[in-house]
Coordinates of all heavy atoms in Angstrom, one line a residue:
M11 N -13.9 4.9 -17.0 CA -14.2 4.0 -15.8 C -13.0 3.2 -15.5 O -12.3 2.7 -16.6 CB -15.5 3.1 -16.1 CG -15.9 2.4 -14.9 SD -17.4 1.6 -15.1 CE -17.1 0.1 -14.1
V12 N -12.7 3.0 -14.3 CA -11.5 2.3 -13.9 C -12.0 0.8 -13.5 O -12.9 0.7 -12.7 CB -10.7 3.0 -12.8 CG1 -9.6 2.2 -12.3 CG2 -10.2 4.3 -13.2
S13 N -11.3 -0.2 -14.0 CA -11.6 -1.5 -13.5 C -10.6 -1.9 -12.5 O -9.4 -1.8 -12.5 CB -11.4 -2.5 -14.6 OG -11.4 -3.8 -14.2
I14 N -11.1 -2.3 -11.2 CA -10.3 -2.5 -10.1 C -10.5 -4.0 -9.6 O -11.7 -4.4 -9.5 CB -10.8 -1.6 -8.8 CG1 -10.5 -0.2 -9.2 CG2 -9.9 -2.0 -7.7 CD1 -11.1 0.9 -8.3
I15 N -9.4 -4.7 -9.4 CA -9.5 -6.1 -9.1 C -8.5 -6.3 -8.0 O -7.4 -5.6 -7.9 CB -9.3 -7.1 -10.3 CG1 -7.9 -6.8 -10.9 CG2 -10.5 -6.8 -11.3 CD1 -7.6 -7.8 -11.9
K16 N -8.7 -7.4 -7.1 CA -7.6 -7.9 -6.3 C -6.5 -8.5 -7.2 O -6.9 -9.1 -8.2 CB -8.2 -8.9 -5.4 CG -9.0 -8.2 -4.2 CD -7.9 -7.8 -3.1 CE -8.7 -7.3 -1.9 NZ -7.9 -6.9 -0.9
Y17 N -5.3 -8.5 -6.9 CA -4.2 -8.8 -7.6 C -3.1 -9.4 -6.7 O -2.9 -8.9 -5.8 CB -3.8 -7.8 -8.5 CG -2.6 -8.2 -9.6 CD1 -3.0 -8.9 -10.6 CD2 -1.3 -7.7 -9.4 CE1 -2.1 -9.3 -11.6 CE2 -0.4 -8.1 -10.4 CZ -0.9 -8.9 -11.4 OH 0.0 -9.2 -12.5
K18 N -2.5 -10.6 -7.2 CA -1.4 -11.2 -6.3 C -0.2 -11.2 -7.3 O -0.3 -11.4 -8.4 CB -1.8 -12.6 -5.9 CG -3.0 -12.7 -5.1 CD -3.4 -14.2 -4.6 CE -4.5 -14.1 -3.7 NZ -4.8 -15.4 -3.2
I19 N 0.9 -10.7 -6.5 CA 2.2 -10.8 -7.1 C 3.0 -11.9 -6.5 O 2.9 -11.9 -5.1 CB 2.9 -9.5 -7.2 CG1 3.0 -8.8 -5.9 CG2 1.9 -8.6 -8.1 CD1 4.0 -7.5 -5.9
K20 N 3.9 -12.5 -7.0 CA 4.9 -13.3 -6.5 C 6.2 -12.6 -6.1 O 6.7 -11.9 -7.0 CB 5.3 -14.6 -7.4 CG 6.0 -15.6 -6.7 CD 6.2 -16.8 -7.5 CE 7.0 -17.9 -6.7 NZ 7.2 -19.1 -7.4
M21 N 6.5 -12.6 -4.9 CA 7.7 -11.9 -4.5 C 9.0 -12.9 -4.7 O 8.9 -14.0 -4.9 CB 7.6 -11.7 -3.0 CG 6.3 -11.0 -2.5 SD 6.3 -9.3 -2.8 CE 7.3 -8.7 -1.5
S22 N 10.1 -12.2 -4.7 CA 11.3 -12.9 -5.1 C 11.7 -13.9 -4.0 O 12.5 -14.8 -4.3 CB 12.5 -11.9 -5.4 OG 12.7 -11.1 -4.2
N23 N 11.2 -13.7 -2.8 CA 11.4 -14.7 -1.7 C 10.4 -15.8 -1.7 O 10.4 -16.7 -0.8 CB 11.4 -13.9 -0.3 CG 10.1 -13.3 -0.1 OD1 9.1 -13.5 -0.7 ND2 10.0 -12.6 1.0
G24 N 9.6 -15.9 -2.8 CA 8.7 -16.9 -3.0 C 7.3 -16.6 -2.3 O 6.3 -17.5 -2.5
H25 N 7.2 -15.6 -1.4 CA 5.8 -15.4 -0.9 C 4.9 -14.7 -1.8 O 5.4 -14.2 -2.8 CB 6.2 -14.3 0.3 CG 6.8 -15.0 1.5 ND1 8.0 -14.4 2.0 CD2 6.5 -16.1 2.2 CE1 8.2 -15.2 3.0 NE2 7.4 -16.2 3.2
I26 N 3.7 -14.8 -1.6 CA 2.6 -14.2 -2.3 C 2.1 -12.9 -1.7 O 1.8 -12.9 -0.4 CB 1.5 -15.1 -2.7 CG1 2.0 -16.4 -3.5 CG2 0.3 -14.4 -3.6 CD1 2.6 -16.1 -4.8
H27 N 2.1 -11.8 -2.4 CA 1.5 -10.5 -1.8 C 0.2 -10.2 -2.5 O 0.3 -10.1 -3.7 CB 2.4 -9.4 -1.9 CG 1.8 -8.1 -1.4 ND1 1.5 -7.8 -0.1 CD2 1.5 -7.0 -2.2 CE1 1.0 -6.6 0.0 NE2 1.0 -6.1 -1.2
T28 N -0.9 -10.1 -1.7 CA -2.2 -9.7 -2.3 C -2.2 -8.0 -2.3 O -2.3 -7.6 -1.2 CB -3.3 -10.3 -1.6 OG1 -3.2 -11.7 -1.7 CG2 -4.6 -9.9 -2.3
C29 N -2.2 -7.4 -3.3 CA -2.4 -5.9 -3.5 C -3.7 -5.6 -3.0 O -4.7 -6.3 -3.3 CB -1.9 -5.5 -4.8 SG -0.4 -6.1 -5.5
D30 N -4.0 -4.4 -2.5 CA -5.2 -3.9 -2.2 C -6.1 -3.6 -3.4 O -7.2 -4.0 -3.5 CB -5.1 -2.8 -1.2 CG -4.7 -3.0 0.1 OD1 -4.9 -4.1 0.7 OD2 -4.0 -2.1 0.7
I31 N -5.5 -2.9 -4.4 CA -6.2 -2.6 -5.6 C -5.2 -2.7 -6.7 O -4.0 -2.2 -6.6 CB -6.7 -1.1 -5.4 CG1 -7.7 -1.0 -4.4 CG2 -7.4 -0.7 -6.8 CD1 -8.2 0.4 -4.1
F32 N -5.5 -3.2 -7.8 CA -4.8 -3.4 -9.0 C -5.5 -2.8 -10.2 O -6.7 -3.1 -10.4 CB -4.3 -4.7 -9.4 CG -3.6 -4.8 -10.7 CD1 -2.5 -4.2 -10.9 CD2 -4.1 -5.7 -11.7 CE1 -1.8 -4.2 -12.2 CE2 -3.4 -5.8 -12.9 CZ -2.2 -5.1 -13.1
I33 N -5.0 -1.7 -10.9 CA -5.8 -1.0 -12.0 C -5.0 -1.6 -13.3 O -3.9 -1.0 -13.7 CB -5.8 0.4 -11.9 CG1 -6.5 0.8 -10.6 CG2 -6.5 0.9 -13.2 CD1 -6.5 2.3 -10.4
P34 N -5.4 -2.6 -14.0 CA -4.7 -3.2 -15.1 C -4.4 -2.2 -16.3 O -3.3 -2.3 -16.8 CB -5.6 -4.3 -15.6 CG -6.6 -4.6 -14.6 CD -6.7 -3.4 -13.8
S35 N -5.4 -1.3 -16.6 CA -5.2 -0.5 -17.7 C -4.1 0.5 -17.5 O -3.5 1.2 -18.5 CB -6.4 0.3 -17.9 OG -6.9 1.1 -16.8
K36 N -3.6 0.7 -16.2 CA -2.5 1.7 -15.9 C -1.3 0.9 -15.2 O -0.4 1.6 -14.9 CB -3.1 2.7 -14.9 CG -4.1 3.6 -15.4 CD -4.4 4.6 -14.4 CE -5.6 5.6 -15.0 NZ -5.7 6.9 -14.3
N37 N -1.3 -0.4 -15.2 CA -0.4 -1.1 -14.6 C 0.0 -0.6 -13.2 O 1.1 -0.4 -12.7 CB 0.8 -1.2 -15.4 CG 1.7 -2.4 -15.0 OD1 1.4 -3.5 -14.8 ND2 3.1 -2.2 -15.1
M38 N -1.1 -0.2 -12.5 CA -1.0 0.5 -11.1 C -1.5 -0.2 -10.0 O -2.5 -0.9 -10.1 CB -1.7 1.8 -11.3 CG -1.7 2.7 -10.0 SD -2.7 4.1 -10.0 CE -2.0 5.0 -11.4
I39 N -0.7 -0.4 -9.0 CA -1.1 -1.0 -7.7 C -1.2 0.1 -6.6 O -0.4 1.0 -6.5 CB 0.1 -1.9 -7.2 CG1 0.0 -3.3 -8.2 CG2 -0.2 -2.5 -5.8 CD1 1.2 -4.3 -8.0
I40 N -2.3 0.0 -5.9 CA -2.7 0.9 -4.8 C -2.7 0.1 -3.5 O -3.3 -0.9 -3.4 CB -3.9 1.6 -5.1 CG1 -3.8 2.5 -6.4 CG2 -4.3 2.6 -3.8 CD1 -5.1 3.1 -6.9
E41 N -1.9 0.6 -2.6 CA -2.0 0.0 -1.3 C -2.7 1.1 -0.3 O -2.2 2.2 -0.3 CB -0.5 -0.4 -0.7 CG 0.1 -1.4 -1.6 CD -0.5 -2.7 -1.4 OE1 -1.2 -3.0 -0.6 OE2 0.0 -3.7 -2.2
C42 N -3.6 0.6 0.5 CA -4.2 1.4 1.5 C -3.8 1.0 2.9 O -4.1 0.0 3.3 CB -5.7 1.2 1.4 SG -6.4 1.4 -0.4
D43 N -3.1 1.9 3.6 CA -2.4 1.6 4.8 C -3.2 2.1 5.9 O -3.3 3.3 5.9 CB -1.0 2.2 4.8 CG 0.0 1.5 3.8 OD1 -0.3 0.4 3.3 OD2 1.0 2.1 3.5
G44 N -3.6 1.2 6.8 CA -4.3 1.7 8.0 C -3.3 2.3 8.9 O -2.2 2.0 9.1
C45 N -3.7 3.4 9.5 CA -2.9 4.3 10.3 C -2.2 3.5 11.5 O -1.0 3.7 11.8 CB -3.5 5.6 10.7 SG -3.9 6.7 9.5
F46 N -3.0 2.8 12.2 CA -2.6 2.0 13.3 C -1.6 0.8 12.8 O -0.4 0.7 13.3 CB -3.7 1.4 14.1 CG -3.3 0.4 15.3 CD1 -2.8 1.0 16.4 CD2 -3.2 -0.9 15.1 CE1 -2.4 0.2 17.5 CE2 -2.8 -1.8 16.1 CZ -2.2 -1.2 17.3
W47 N -2.1 0.1 11.9 CA -1.4 -1.2 11.5 C 0.1 -0.8 10.7 O 0.9 -1.7 10.8 CB -2.2 -2.1 10.6 CG -3.3 -2.6 11.4 CD1 -4.6 -2.2 11.3 CD2 -3.2 -3.6 12.4 NE1 -5.3 -2.9 12.2 CE2 -4.6 -3.7 13.0 CE3 -2.2 -4.3 13.0 CZ2 -4.9 -4.6 14.0 CZ3 -2.6 -5.1 14.1 CH2 -3.9 -5.3 14.5
H48 N 0.0 0.4 10.1 CA 1.3 0.7 9.2 C 2.0 1.8 9.9 O 3.1 2.1 9.3 CB 0.7 1.0 7.9 CG 0.3 -0.3 7.1 ND1 1.2 -1.1 6.3 CD2 -0.9 -0.8 7.1 CE1 0.4 -2.1 5.8 NE2 -0.8 -1.9 6.2
G49 N 1.7 2.2 11.1 CA 2.6 3.1 11.9 C 2.6 4.6 11.3 O 3.6 5.2 11.1
C50 N 1.5 5.2 11.1 CA 1.3 6.5 10.7 C 1.8 7.5 11.8 O 1.4 7.6 12.9 CB -0.1 6.8 10.3 SG -0.3 8.6 9.9
E51 N 2.9 8.3 11.5 CA 3.5 9.2 12.4 C 2.6 10.4 12.5 O 2.5 11.0 13.7 CB 4.8 9.8 11.7 CG 5.9 8.7 11.8 CD 7.2 9.3 11.0 OE1 7.3 10.4 11.0 OE2 8.0 8.3 10.7
N52 N 1.8 10.7 11.6 CA 0.8 12.0 11.8 C -0.2 11.5 12.7 O -0.8 12.5 13.5 CB 0.1 12.3 10.4 CG 1.1 12.9 9.5 OD1 2.2 13.4 9.8 ND2 0.7 13.0 8.3
C53 N -0.7 10.4 12.9 CA -1.7 9.9 13.9 C -1.1 9.3 15.2 O -1.8 8.9 16.0 CB -2.5 8.8 13.1 SG -3.5 9.5 11.8
G54 N 0.2 9.4 15.3 CA 0.9 8.9 16.5 C 1.0 7.4 16.7 O 1.1 6.8 17.8
H55 N 0.9 6.6 15.6 CA 1.0 5.2 15.7 C 2.2 4.6 15.4 O 2.4 3.5 14.8 CB -0.2 4.6 15.0 CG -1.5 5.0 15.4 ND1 -2.1 4.6 16.6 CD2 -2.5 5.6 14.7 CE1 -3.3 5.0 16.8 NE2 -3.6 5.7 15.6
N56 N 3.4 5.3 15.4 CA 4.7 4.8 14.9 C 5.6 4.3 15.9 O 6.9 3.9 15.5 CB 5.3 6.0 14.2 CG 5.6 7.1 15.1 OD1 5.0 7.4 16.2 ND2 6.7 8.0 14.8
K57 N 5.2 3.9 17.0 CA 6.2 3.5 18.0 C 5.9 1.9 18.5 O 6.7 1.4 19.3 CB 6.2 4.3 19.2 CG 6.6 5.8 18.9 CD 7.9 6.3 19.5 CE 8.1 7.7 19.2 NZ 8.4 8.2 17.9
H58 N 4.8 1.2 18.2 CA 4.6 0.0 18.7 C 5.1 -1.2 17.7 O 5.4 -0.8 16.6 CB 3.0 -0.3 19.0 CG 2.2 0.1 17.8 ND1 2.0 -0.8 16.8 CD2 1.5 1.3 17.4 CE1 1.2 -0.4 15.8 NE2 0.8 0.9 16.2
K59 N 5.3 -2.2 18.3 CA 5.9 -3.4 17.5 C 5.2 -3.8 16.2 O 5.9 -4.0 15.2 CB 5.9 -4.7 18.4 CG 7.0 -4.6 19.5 CD 7.0 -5.9 20.2 CE 7.8 -5.7 21.5 NZ 7.9 -7.0 22.3
I60 N 3.9 -3.6 16.3 CA 3.2 -3.9 15.0 C 3.6 -3.0 13.9 O 3.8 -3.5 12.8 CB 1.6 -4.0 15.3 CG1 1.2 -5.1 16.2 CG2 0.8 -4.2 13.8 CD1 -0.2 -5.0 16.7
S61 N 3.6 -1.8 14.1 CA 3.8 -0.8 13.1 C 5.3 -0.8 12.7 O 5.6 -0.7 11.5 CB 3.4 0.6 13.4 OG 4.3 1.1 14.5
L62 N 6.2 -1.3 13.6 CA 7.6 -1.2 13.2 C 7.8 -2.5 12.2 O 8.6 -2.2 11.2 CB 8.4 -1.4 14.4 CG 8.5 -0.2 15.4 CD1 9.3 -0.4 16.7 CD2 9.1 1.1 14.7
R63 N 7.2 -3.6 12.5 CA 7.2 -4.7 11.5 C 6.6 -4.5 10.2 O 7.2 -4.8 9.1 CB 6.6 -5.9 12.3 CG 6.8 -7.1 11.5 CD 6.1 -8.4 12.3 NE 5.3 -7.8 13.3 CZ 4.6 -8.4 14.2 NH1 4.7 -9.7 14.4 NH2 3.8 -7.9 15.1
S64 N 5.5 -3.8 10.4 CA 4.7 -3.4 9.1 C 5.6 -2.5 8.3 O 5.5 -2.6 6.9 CB 3.4 -2.6 9.4 OG 2.6 -3.7 9.9
K65 N 6.2 -1.6 8.8 CA 7.1 -0.5 8.0 C 8.2 -1.3 7.3 O 8.5 -1.0 6.1 CB 7.7 0.5 9.0 CG 6.7 1.6 9.2 CD 7.4 2.7 10.2 CE 6.5 3.8 10.3 NZ 6.4 4.8 9.4
K66 N 8.8 -2.2 7.9 CA 9.8 -3.0 7.3 C 9.2 -3.9 6.1 O 9.8 -3.9 5.1 CB 10.5 -4.0 8.4 CG 11.7 -4.9 7.7 CD 12.3 -5.7 8.8 CE 13.3 -6.6 8.3 NZ 13.8 -7.6 9.2
N67 N 8.2 -4.6 6.4 CA 7.4 -5.3 5.4 C 7.0 -4.6 4.3 O 7.2 -4.8 3.0 CB 6.3 -6.1 5.9 CG 6.7 -7.3 6.8 OD1 7.8 -7.7 6.8 ND2 5.7 -7.7 7.6
D68 N 6.5 -3.3 4.5 CA 6.0 -2.4 3.5 C 7.2 -1.8 2.5 O 7.1 -1.8 1.3 CB 5.4 -1.1 4.0 CG 4.2 -1.4 4.7 OD1 3.5 -2.4 4.5 OD2 3.7 -0.5 5.6
S69 N 8.3 -1.7 3.1 CA 9.5 -1.2 2.4 C 10.0 -2.4 1.4 O 10.2 -2.1 0.3 CB 10.6 -0.9 3.4 OG 11.7 -0.6 2.7
I70 N 9.9 -3.6 2.0 CA 10.3 -4.8 1.0 C 9.2 -5.0 0.0 O 9.6 -5.1 -1.3 CB 10.3 -6.0 1.9 CG1 11.6 -6.0 2.8 CG2 10.4 -7.3 0.9 CD1 11.5 -7.0 3.9
I71 N 7.9 -4.8 0.2 CA 7.0 -4.9 -0.7 C 7.0 -3.7 -1.8 O 6.8 -4.0 -3.0 CB 5.5 -5.0 -0.1 CG1 5.3 -6.3 0.7 CG2 4.4 -4.8 -1.1 CD1 4.2 -6.4 1.7
N72 N 7.3 -2.5 -1.3 CA 7.4 -1.4 -2.3 C 8.4 -1.8 -3.3 O 8.2 -1.6 -4.4 CB 7.7 -0.2 -1.4 CG 6.7 0.4 -0.6 OD1 5.5 0.0 -0.7 ND2 6.9 1.3 0.2
D73 N 9.6 -2.2 -2.8 CA 10.7 -2.4 -3.8 C 10.4 -3.4 -4.6 O 10.7 -3.4 -5.9 CB 11.9 -2.8 -2.9 CG 12.6 -1.7 -2.1 OD1 12.3 -0.6 -2.3 OD2 13.5 -2.0 -1.1
E74 N 9.7 -4.6 -4.3 CA 9.4 -5.6 -5.1 C 8.4 -5.2 -6.1 O 8.6 -5.5 -7.3 CB 8.7 -6.8 -4.2 CG 8.6 -8.1 -4.9 CD 9.9 -8.8 -5.1 OE1 10.7 -8.7 -4.2 OE2 10.1 -9.3 -6.2
I75 N 7.4 -4.4 -5.8 CA 6.4 -4.0 -6.7 C 7.0 -3.1 -7.7 O 6.7 -3.2 -9.0 CB 5.2 -3.3 -6.1 CG1 4.4 -4.3 -5.1 CG2 4.3 -2.4 -7.0 CD1 3.4 -3.5 -4.3
I76 N 7.8 -2.2 -7.3 CA 8.4 -1.3 -8.3 C 9.4 -2.0 -9.3 O 9.5 -1.8 -10.4 CB 9.1 -0.2 -7.5 CG1 8.1 0.8 -6.9 CG2 10.1 0.7 -8.4 CD1 8.7 1.7 -5.8
N77 N 10.1 -3.0 -8.6 CA 11.1 -3.6 -9.4 C 10.5 -4.6 -10.5 O 11.1 -4.9 -11.5 CB 12.1 -4.5 -8.5 CG 13.1 -3.7 -7.9 OD1 13.4 -2.6 -8.2 ND2 13.5 -4.3 -6.7
Q78 N 9.3 -4.9 -10.2 CA 8.5 -5.7 -11.2 C 7.7 -4.9 -12.1 O 7.1 -5.3 -13.2 CB 7.4 -6.7 -10.5 CG 8.2 -7.8 -9.7 CD 7.0 -8.7 -9.2 OE1 6.1 -9.0 -9.8 NE2 7.5 -9.4 -8.0
G79 N 8.0 -3.6 -12.1 CA 7.6 -2.6 -13.2 C 6.1 -2.0 -13.1 O 5.6 -1.4 -14.0
Y80 N 5.6 -2.1 -11.9 CA 4.3 -1.5 -11.6 C 4.4 -0.1 -11.1 O 5.4 0.2 -10.5 CB 3.6 -2.4 -10.4 CG 3.2 -3.8 -10.9 CD1 4.0 -4.7 -10.4 CD2 2.2 -4.1 -11.8 CE1 3.7 -6.1 -10.7 CE2 1.9 -5.4 -12.1 CZ 2.7 -6.4 -11.6 OH 2.3 -7.8 -12.0
I81 N 3.4 0.6 -11.3 CA 3.3 1.9 -10.7 C 2.7 1.8 -9.3 O 1.7 1.1 -9.2 CB 2.5 3.0 -11.5 CG1 3.1 3.1 -12.9 CG2 2.3 4.2 -10.8 CD1 2.1 3.8 -13.9
L82 N 3.3 2.3 -8.3 CA 2.8 2.1 -6.9 C 2.4 3.3 -6.2 O 3.2 4.4 -6.4 CB 3.8 1.4 -6.1 CG 3.5 1.3 -4.6 CD1 2.4 0.4 -4.3 CD2 4.8 0.9 -3.8
H83 N 1.2 3.4 -5.7 CA 0.8 4.5 -4.8 C 0.4 3.8 -3.5 O -0.4 2.8 -3.4 CB -0.5 5.1 -5.5 CG -0.1 6.0 -6.7 ND1 0.6 7.2 -6.6 CD2 -0.4 5.8 -8.0 CE1 0.8 7.6 -7.9 NE2 0.1 6.8 -8.6
R84 N 0.7 4.5 -2.5 CA 0.3 4.2 -0.9 C -0.4 5.4 -0.5 O 0.0 6.3 -0.5 CB 1.6 3.9 -0.2 CG 2.1 2.3 -0.3 CD 3.1 2.1 0.7 NE 3.5 0.7 0.6 CZ 2.8 -0.4 1.1 NH1 1.8 -0.2 1.8 NH2 3.2 -1.6 0.9
F85 N -1.5 4.9 0.2 CA -2.4 6.0 0.7 C -2.5 5.7 2.2 O -2.9 4.5 2.5 CB -3.7 6.3 0.1 CG -3.5 6.7 -1.4 CD1 -3.8 5.9 -2.4 CD2 -2.9 7.9 -1.7 CE1 -3.5 6.3 -3.7 CE2 -2.8 8.4 -3.0 CZ -3.1 7.5 -4.0
W86 N -2.5 6.6 3.1 CA -2.8 6.5 4.5 C -4.3 6.5 4.7 O -5.1 7.2 4.0 CB -2.2 7.5 5.3 CG -0.7 7.4 5.5 CD1 0.2 8.2 5.1 CD2 0.0 6.4 6.3 NE1 1.4 7.7 5.4 CE2 1.3 6.7 6.1 CE3 -0.4 5.4 7.1 CZ2 2.2 5.9 6.9 CZ3 0.5 4.6 7.8 CH2 1.9 4.9 7.6
E87 N -4.9 5.7 5.6 CA -6.2 5.6 6.0 C -6.8 7.0 6.2 O -7.9 7.4 5.7 CB -6.4 4.9 7.4 CG -7.6 4.8 8.0 CD -7.6 4.1 9.3 OE1 -6.6 3.8 9.7 OE2 -8.7 4.0 9.9
H88 N -6.1 8.0 6.9 CA -6.7 9.4 7.2 C -6.9 10.1 5.9 O -7.8 10.9 5.7 CB -5.8 10.1 8.2 CG -4.4 10.4 7.8 ND1 -3.4 9.7 8.3 CD2 -3.9 11.4 7.1 CE1 -2.2 10.2 7.8 NE2 -2.6 11.3 7.0
D89 N -5.9 9.9 5.0 CA -6.2 10.5 3.7 C -7.3 10.0 2.8 O -8.1 10.7 2.1 CB -4.8 10.5 2.7 CG -3.7 11.4 3.2 OD1 -4.1 12.5 3.8 OD2 -2.6 11.0 3.1
I90 N -7.5 8.6 2.9 CA -8.6 8.1 2.3 C -10.0 8.6 2.8 O -10.8 8.9 2.0 CB -8.5 6.5 2.4 CG1 -7.3 6.0 1.6 CG2 -9.8 5.8 1.8 CD1 -6.9 4.5 1.8
I91 N -10.0 8.8 4.1 CA -11.2 9.2 4.8 C -11.4 10.8 4.6 O -12.5 11.2 4.3 CB -11.2 8.9 6.3 CG1 -11.3 7.4 6.5 CG2 -12.3 9.5 7.1 CD1 -10.9 6.9 7.8
H92 N -10.3 11.5 4.7 CA -10.5 13.0 4.8 C -9.9 13.9 3.6 O -10.2 15.1 3.5 CB -9.8 13.5 6.1 CG -10.4 12.9 7.4 ND1 -11.6 13.2 7.8 CD2 -9.7 12.0 8.2 CE1 -11.8 12.5 8.9 NE2 -10.7 11.7 9.2
N93 N -9.3 13.2 2.7 CA -8.6 14.0 1.6 C -8.5 13.3 0.4 O -7.4 13.0 -0.3 CB -7.2 14.3 2.2 CG -6.5 15.4 1.5 OD1 -7.1 16.0 0.6 ND2 -5.4 15.8 1.7
M94 N -9.7 12.9 -0.2 CA -9.8 12.2 -1.4 C -9.2 12.8 -2.5 O -8.8 12.2 -3.7 CB -11.2 11.7 -1.8 CG -11.8 10.6 -0.9 SD -10.8 9.1 -1.1 CE -11.2 8.7 -2.9
E95 N -9.0 14.3 -2.6 CA -8.6 15.0 -3.6 C -7.2 14.5 -4.0 O -6.8 14.5 -5.1 CB -8.5 16.5 -3.3 CG -9.9 17.1 -3.1 CD -10.3 17.0 -1.6 OE1 -9.6 16.8 -0.6 OE2 -11.5 16.8 -1.5
I96 N -6.4 14.2 -3.0 CA -5.0 13.7 -3.2 C -5.0 12.5 -4.0 O -4.2 12.2 -4.9 CB -4.3 13.6 -1.8 CG1 -4.0 14.9 -1.2 CG2 -2.9 12.8 -2.1 CD1 -3.3 14.9 0.1
I97 N -5.9 11.5 -3.5 CA -6.0 10.2 -4.2 C -6.4 10.4 -5.6 O -5.9 9.8 -6.5 CB -6.9 9.4 -3.3 CG1 -6.1 9.1 -2.0 CG2 -7.2 7.9 -4.1 CD1 -7.1 8.5 -1.0
N98 N -7.5 11.1 -5.8 CA -8.0 11.4 -7.1 C -7.0 12.0 -8.1 O -6.9 11.6 -9.4 CB -9.2 12.2 -7.1 CG -10.4 11.6 -6.5 OD1 -10.5 10.3 -6.6 ND2 -11.4 12.3 -5.9
A99 N -6.2 12.9 -7.6 CA -5.1 13.5 -8.4 C -4.0 12.5 -8.9 O -3.5 12.6 -10.0 CB -4.3 14.6 -7.7
C100 N -3.8 11.3 -8.1 CA -3.0 10.2 -8.6 C -3.5 9.3 -9.6 O -2.7 8.6 -10.3 CB -2.5 9.5 -7.4 SG -1.5 10.4 -6.2
L101 N -4.8 9.3 -9.6 CA -5.5 8.4 -10.5 C -5.7 8.9 -11.9 O -5.9 8.5 -13.0 CB -6.7 7.8 -10.0 CG -6.6 7.1 -8.6 CD1 -8.0 6.8 -8.1 CD2 -5.8 5.9 -8.8

């Protein structure tokens, strides 16, 4: 059984990021990206201002999480809804 809790990490710029899912036993952080808000190209949401800003922020957060020694997985909303096999394979 996997224990899942909300987890906050302190970024090097002083900001706090709340991770979507943290699995302590695996030192793993999982981020669940909404297709609209994070600019999914497959769903055609990659050209508006919100998604462009989110992509930049996601990149900074990815680097920070990895540099702090966590295992990071990011999943698109459409994969969470329609393709759980990919997610299960990563866990």
Side-chain angles (χ1 to χ4, degrees):
M11 184 172 153
V12 175
S13 173
I14 300 173
I15 59 172
K16 284 277 189 179
Y17 188 69
K18 296 181 180 188
I19 60 170
K20 186 170 184 179
M21 309 284 281
S22 58
N23 63 7
H25 292 124
I26 302 293
H27 173 70
T28 302
C29 304
D30 291 329
I31 300 169
F32 175 58
I33 304 173
S35 63
K36 296 186 176 195
N37 200 40
M38 181 184 295
I39 291 174
I40 299 172
E41 296 290 351
C42 305
D43 294 341
C45 292
F46 176 80
W47 295 107
H48 292 267
C50 177
E51 293 178 16
N52 291 345
C53 296
H55 297 299
N56 59 329
K57 304 245 187 291
H58 54 82
K59 287 182 184 179
I60 295 170
S61 68
L62 295 175
R63 186 177 20 187
S64 290
K65 281 182 175 279
K66 181 179 177 185
N67 289 341
D68 289 346
S69 177
I70 293 167
I71 291 167
N72 290 350
D73 291 345
E74 193 75 40
I75 288 171
I76 292 166
N77 288 338
Q78 289 189 29
Y80 297 99
I81 298 167
L82 172 66
H83 291 290
R84 279 194 175 273
F85 298 110
W86 287 109
E87 171 186 2
H88 65 259
D89 285 328
I90 295 168
I91 294 169
H92 302 292
N93 200 359
M94 281 301 292
E95 299 82 33
I96 290 174
I97 297 165
N98 288 333
C100 292
L101 301 177

